[in-house]
Amino acid sequence: MTGYKDNQLIHIHPVEAFQDNYIWLIHNDQNSIVVDPGDASPVIEILERKNLNLVAILVTHHHADHIGGVLELQKKYPHVKIFAPKKDKYDFVNISLQDGDEINIPELQINYKIFEIPGHTQGHIAYYDMKNLFCGDTLFACGCGKIFDGTHEQMYNSLKKISGLSKDTKIYCGHEYTKKNIAFALSVKPNNSDLLLRDEHVSNLKITIPSTLSEELKTNPFLNCTSIEAFKALRDLKDQY
Ligand code: ZN
Ligand code: FE
């Protein structure tokens, strides 16, 4: 069984870190999970304010802005389980995950399915509970991550993999880049009415995440590429934008 038990309330909150990072906090009335804690202090602050125990840390990839707070959180919450991609090396003890794995967080009665989604990095993974996808720096709202130690071909295939999930999947990414991404998308597709609507919709929002996969399929130019070459050309254009 994957997904949430229907009889308990799960909340998902963004914890803002650095300039534009989101650390995702998933909790019930006692226990919590954080995704990609690049910084420990805003996490500890909210956990103490809400009186929550930290039971799991989910890491999507090895960049410092996603793991910088892990060691400090582990010190503060010594029983926390840390999950991370098998293909990466970490200086903290972790349960390493690869494509197709499933993990269970009993304190919140949540299961996650693991997808390998390389491209931004070689080892990048996503966590999926059948409703919510935590995808780090792979798919952004109206954009996608830069190619660092992965390849364009990997990123293209990872985005196709995500595109095949249920359309109402909520997309929880690692950064607030939405307005800039929409501006770039409009520079490529100035007459796309869904994009124009989305631009208007986010103009008064400070936090634009989560989005939904259906929204992304309609407006995200990186999901609409039909070849790796077209994807690479668009990614190169965005890198120079
Ligand atoms: Zn990154
Ligand atoms: Fe990042």
Side-chain angles (χ1 to χ4, degrees):
M1 261 294 285
T2 304
Y4 296 143
K5 280 253 171 93
D6 293 332
N7 56 358
Q8 71 157 346
L9 215 49
I10 296 281
H11 304 272
I12 306 178
H13 293 292
V15 179
E16 293 175 73
F18 311 119
Q19 288 278 75
D20 48 37
N21 276 78
Y22 287 131
I23 299 165
W24 293 102
L25 170 68
I26 303 148
H27 72 92
N28 59 17
D29 54 2
Q30 285 182 332
N31 293 303
S32 68
I33 302 168
V34 289
V35 184
D36 285 353
D39 192 4
S41 51
V43 174
I44 292 169
E45 198 265 326
I46 193 164
L47 294 183
E48 292 193 335
R49 185 153 45 81
K50 289 179 178 285
N51 200 15
L52 294 168
N53 180 36
L54 183 63
V55 297
I57 294 174
L58 312 182
V59 170
T60 65
H61 68 291
H62 65 76
H63 286 159
D65 62 317
H66 298 254
I67 62 166
V70 171
L71 283 171
E72 197 180 330
L73 288 170
Q74 190 177 34
K75 222 179 273 169
K76 174 113 186 150
Y77 304 92
H79 299 294
V80 69
K81 280 187 188 155
I82 305 170
F83 298 90
K86 191 171 193 167
K87 291 205 169 110
D88 293 343
K89 292 237 181 316
Y90 292 95
D91 59 0
F92 45 81
V93 175
N94 66 84
I95 299 161
S96 64
L97 300 172
Q98 59 187 332
D99 203 59
D101 282 349
E102 282 200 32
I103 59 171
N104 173 247
I105 316 291
E107 296 87 345
L108 285 100
Q109 298 179 293
I110 297 180
N111 293 324
Y112 291 103
K113 224 179 144 149
I114 310 307
F115 299 126
E116 285 180 8
I117 47 168
H120 179 70
T121 65
Q122 286 284 347
H124 203 303
I125 60 173
Y127 298 82
Y128 186 50
D129 66 15
M130 307 307 279
K131 286 182 181 166
N132 307 294
L133 181 76
F134 297 92
C135 57
D137 290 355
T138 300
L139 176 62
F140 289 128
C142 214
C144 77
K146 280 190 184 159
I147 310 302
F148 283 97
D149 52 87
T151 67
H152 288 85
E153 183 177 358
Q154 286 175 333
M155 182 60 108
Y156 175 80
N157 290 326
S158 295
L159 294 177
K160 288 281 173 255
K161 198 168 182 176
I162 293 173
S163 299
L165 299 176
S166 163
K167 303 271 180 292
D168 55 7
T169 299
K170 287 189 177 146
I171 306 295
Y172 290 85
C173 58
H175 291 268
E176 181 59 65
Y177 291 154
T178 313
K179 284 171 195 171
K180 279 188 233 162
N181 285 343
I182 292 174
F184 169 73
L186 278 169
S187 77
V188 182
K189 292 189 169 156
N191 301 316
N192 181 316
S193 57
D194 290 314
L195 256 179
L196 290 163
L197 269 177
R198 190 169 189 184
D199 188 38
E200 199 182 302
H201 176 69
V202 302
S203 65
N204 294 315
L205 295 179
K206 189 172 169 279
I207 294 171
T208 64
I209 314 297
S211 66
T212 62
L213 182 57
S214 73
E215 205 176 358
E216 296 310 324
L217 289 169
K218 275 191 244 165
T219 56
N220 190 323
F222 294 97
L223 291 187
N224 293 321
C225 296
T226 50
S227 70
I228 297 163
E229 294 69 34
F231 172 76
K232 185 177 184 309
L234 190 66
R235 187 59 257 181
D236 288 349
L237 203 61
K238 175 70 166 55
D239 290 343
Q240 287 144 31
Y241 182 71

